[in-house]
Amino acid sequence: EAECLRFRRNAEMEVVRDVVNASFLGNWGFVPITRPEWELQIGALLPILDPSLVILATVQNIAVGVTLAVPDFNRVFRKTAGRLFHPAALALFGRSKLKEVVVILCAVRKQYQGLGVARLLNAELLRSMRKSGYESLSTTWIGGENAPSLSSSDAFGMTLRHMVAMYERGVE
């Protein structure tokens, strides 16, 4: 039986990286994320990350899934015109003013996919959002062939905002 744990400290981000790598290995275009790459991508987020939006699912104390969401900082960046030395930038450090959340990733280890772990993570994320005062949820890119993630978006009641196409050309 899986249980959800909330993010407590920076060291747990290494567990998140491990789950992400194990979950996406073998997916088209995925290259495992090295520790230095992860630290570069996540390190800047840590000071403004809301721990209530990082949720780990464990089975017998082994992390099997993770949801990583962040307050929608883009709403702040639009107001600052990209300048950090702007009064609106203070909202980056005041979670109470940010009411929107963006799911960056939801990952479940291959052997636990299809067993309800993602639903457990999603339910816990919604509970945590409500408790923390967030009001809306969106997500980043979901591949058109990713039926489980598309199904999760439907279960959340999300609507499609836009589509992205990727093209490939063979080398001759």
Side-chain angles (χ1 to χ4, degrees):
E1 183 172 307
E3 66 173 317
C4 287
L5 302 173
R6 292 219 168 74
F7 174 82
R8 291 184 310 253
R9 57 188 181 274
N10 297 352
E12 288 178 337
M13 290 310 283
E14 183 58 23
V15 175
V16 172
R17 183 181 74 89
D18 180 58
V19 172
V20 168
N21 279 340
S23 301
F24 291 105
L25 195 62
N27 288 6
W28 181 86
F30 180 74
V31 176
I33 305 166
T34 66
R35 180 175 285 155
E37 290 167 338
W38 185 250
E39 289 171 358
L40 179 67
Q41 292 175 8
I42 297 297
L45 263 183
L46 287 176
I48 56 176
L49 192 65
D50 183 344
S52 72
L53 301 176
V54 182
I55 301 166
L56 291 168
T58 62
V59 173
Q60 298 177 350
N61 294 321
I62 307 262
V64 299
V66 63
T67 291
L68 172 64
V70 296
D72 190 353
F73 302 123
N74 286 325
R75 301 202 185 246
V76 174
F77 294 138
R78 279 187 208 113
K79 293 177 186 174
T80 67
R83 296 185 315 265
L84 288 179
F85 298 109
H86 187 284
L90 293 173
L92 291 172
F93 301 99
R95 291 184 188 99
S96 63
K97 295 180 182 178
L98 298 173
K99 299 297 181 189
E100 300 83 14
V101 170
V102 179
V103 175
I104 301 299
L105 62 89
C106 182
V108 177
R109 290 182 188 270
K110 301 275 186 198
Q111 61 269 40
Y112 291 91
Q113 292 177 3
L115 300 176
V117 174
R119 286 181 187 259
L120 177 68
L121 287 165
N122 291 339
E124 189 60 29
L125 176 62
L126 284 176
R127 259 191 299 281
S128 188
M129 283 177 55
R130 287 184 185 120
K131 185 176 177 184
S132 297
Y134 294 105
E135 298 172 356
S136 69
L137 177 69
S138 62
T139 187
T140 56
W141 174 55
I142 298 174
E145 72 291 340
N146 188 341
S149 291
L150 293 170
S151 176
S152 288
S153 294
D154 288 343
F156 271 129
M158 294 179 159
T159 56
L160 179 65
R161 200 182 291 170
H162 63 272
M163 294 181 68
V164 176
M166 295 182 75
Y167 295 88
E168 180 177 62
R169 182 179 126 178
V171 179
E172 298 172 8

